[in-house]
Amino acid sequence: MYGTIARHRRLTVALAVTAALALGGTGCSGTTKDSANKEAGKAVAGSADPNAATRKGLTVAFLPKQVNNPYFTTSDNGGKKALGQLGSTYKEVGTSSGTDTSGQVSYVNTLTQQQVDAIAVSAQDPGALCTALKQAMKNGISVVTYDSDTQADCRQVFVSQASAEDLGRTQLQLLAEQIGGKGEIAILSAAQTATNQNTWIDFMKDELKKPEYKDIKLVKTAYGDDDAQKSFQQTQGLLQEYPGLKGIISPTTVGIKAAAQYLSGSQYKGKVKLTGLGTPNDMRAYVKDGTVEGFELWDPAELGALAAHTAVALESGQITGAEGQTFEAGDLGTFTIGKDGVVSLGKPTVFDKSNIDKFDF
Ligand code: RAM
């Protein structure tokens, strides 16, 4: 076993250096992974075969941002189910804090030592995992990110929940409508380093520059770290600091639930509007009691299932992560890899009192 790893490593380093010279120093990680694949008799870079047989008996490890977050329980169970249908094995490891980046790095290193076939990770921080993920790829492990990305050269494919731009802009649009286009607003985010939340927030700020939002002012972005108690306290703090606040966007399932809990028991219930990303099961009570009008999300189980299918397609040589390649993801249909190795699940759903009872996750 260890002999195989060492052999892969020596071979891949040698090939990586040659490839880097040939390519003028670009594209290292893809080449090293592909070299390992070549040695293992799998598909080679640039020669993805969409008709290659789907491999069975693989072990795919899910490493969410946070294991005790119901959103990730649902997404990873979606991955587990898909892997069962594909004849492969699922495992999940991870930290209970959404801000334990060194813990995430340790898990990647352990999975590399254990020689799992593929890793699906939701990154707490865009850069922190890079060295460890590159090492995993050098050892022949397929790496996909899902939910929250790392840098593009530190994984093969990012399985995105929806277009990041759509998600950012639509959350701002929802709140603008709820507050009648006027007033002070704040954002209650997750971890300060979270790639997904930070990308959405950048699009919210960009949307806010449009003339139709000239009467809306973003006064603060607070961070609840995907910790229920901290998010609750941050919401309380926002209202103490800005008593005239008209609305809050919380682009995290943990944050929006905690903010709704605070608002529903306060004088601000129904007056200070709250939207963002939440699960229908977490938010149902707050929609029914008038604390929240509407919010959005994708189906987390479908996101996990798509991550599992992507990992198996990579391991099967059906894709390498290059733009334009297509693969089948079971009941979810056919997907095409876009720019920078991003695959997008689809459009999110907006939930309100008219449809929330139709959803159970
Ligand atoms: C939390 C996490 C996750 C995010 C959802 C919306 O559960 O921060 O990364 O995608 O919210």
Side-chain angles (χ1 to χ4, degrees), residues 23-350:
L23 294 168
T26 59
C28 279
S29 65
T31 307
T32 52
K33 162 69 185 167
D34 291 325
S35 312
N37 276 346
K38 189 177 183 182
E39 201 196 11
K42 300 178 204 165
V44 186
S47 66
D49 175 5
N51 299 316
T54 299
R55 292 184 67 204
K56 292 184 192 258
L58 302 168
T59 299
V60 180
F62 275 67
L63 172 50
K65 265 186 183 172
Q66 198 183 24
V67 279
N68 55 347
N69 175 337
Y71 165 85
F72 285 110
T73 306
T74 309
S75 65
D76 293 10
N77 276 334
K80 182 179 183 179
K81 193 172 157 204
L83 287 168
Q85 289 163 350
L86 289 165
S88 280
T89 302
Y90 159 90
K91 70 187 258 174
E92 188 200 51
V93 292
T95 65
S96 53
S97 154
T99 56
D100 182 5
T101 45
S102 60
Q104 275 208 316
V105 171
S106 300
Y107 277 115
V108 173
N109 291 336
T110 304
L111 293 170
T112 302
Q113 276 158 17
Q114 291 172 345
Q115 293 186 266
V116 296
D117 294 292
I119 299 174
V121 55
S122 171
Q124 292 178 0
D125 178 292
L129 294 175
C130 270
T131 307
L133 291 177
K134 283 184 175 173
Q135 191 60 38
M137 291 192 287
K138 274 186 190 167
N139 282 282
I141 296 171
S142 293
V143 174
V144 304
T145 45
Y146 69 109
D147 177 74
S148 182
D149 201 9
T150 177
Q151 291 159 17
D153 61 336
C154 308
R155 48 73 176 157
Q156 290 159 287
V157 178
F158 170 45
V159 182
S160 178
Q161 39 275 72
S163 138
E165 175 164 0
D166 268 7
L167 281 172
R169 295 193 192 281
T170 53
Q171 288 175 73
L172 196 272
Q173 287 158 10
L174 278 173
L175 188 64
E177 210 178 292
Q178 293 172 9
I179 64 171
K182 204 172 173 173
E184 291 181 343
I185 62 165
I187 295 171
L188 173 68
S189 191
Q192 202 158 357
T193 58
T195 330
N196 51 346
Q197 272 90 13
N198 286 341
T199 312
W200 301 327
I201 291 170
D202 284 345
F203 282 113
M204 291 175 201
K205 289 181 176 165
D206 193 64
E207 181 71 11
L208 205 49
K209 288 183 192 150
K210 292 185 181 166
E212 61 258 48
Y213 306 115
K214 67 176 183 353
D215 295 328
I216 299 180
K217 187 171 175 221
L218 174 63
V219 290
K220 185 166 180 167
T221 301
Y223 298 92
D225 290 344
D226 275 347
D227 175 274
Q229 203 181 340
K230 187 168 178 197
S231 304
F232 185 94
Q233 287 162 351
Q234 289 292 318
T235 312
Q236 195 171 25
L238 281 172
L239 285 149
Q240 267 159 16
E241 206 178 333
Y242 301 97
L245 204 65
K246 289 284 178 291
I248 299 172
I249 301 177
S250 188
T252 135
T253 58
V254 179
I256 195 173
K257 182 184 179 190
Q261 203 178 351
Y262 173 74
L263 291 176
S264 72
S266 77
Q267 54 173 306
Y268 307 108
K269 179 178 168 185
K271 294 188 188 122
V272 174
K273 304 295 179 182
L274 171 66
T275 192
L277 304 175
T279 71
N281 288 356
D282 276 349
M283 301 303 290
R284 195 175 331 274
Y286 304 112
V287 168
K288 298 209 167 174
D289 79 0
T291 306
V292 171
E293 278 178 33
F295 61 96
E296 58 185 325
L297 201 71
W298 50 93
D299 182 337
E302 288 188 353
L303 182 69
L306 184 55
H309 279 282
T310 309
V312 171
L314 280 165
E315 276 297 302
S316 304
Q318 295 160 351
I319 55 173
T320 59
E323 185 174 357
Q325 294 173 341
T326 59
F327 64 102
E328 297 293 329
D331 295 343
L332 297 172
T334 306
F335 288 81
T336 303
I337 301 176
K339 195 169 164 284
D340 295 329
V342 179
V343 169
S344 184
L345 179 63
K347 291 247 175 248
T349 303
V350 175

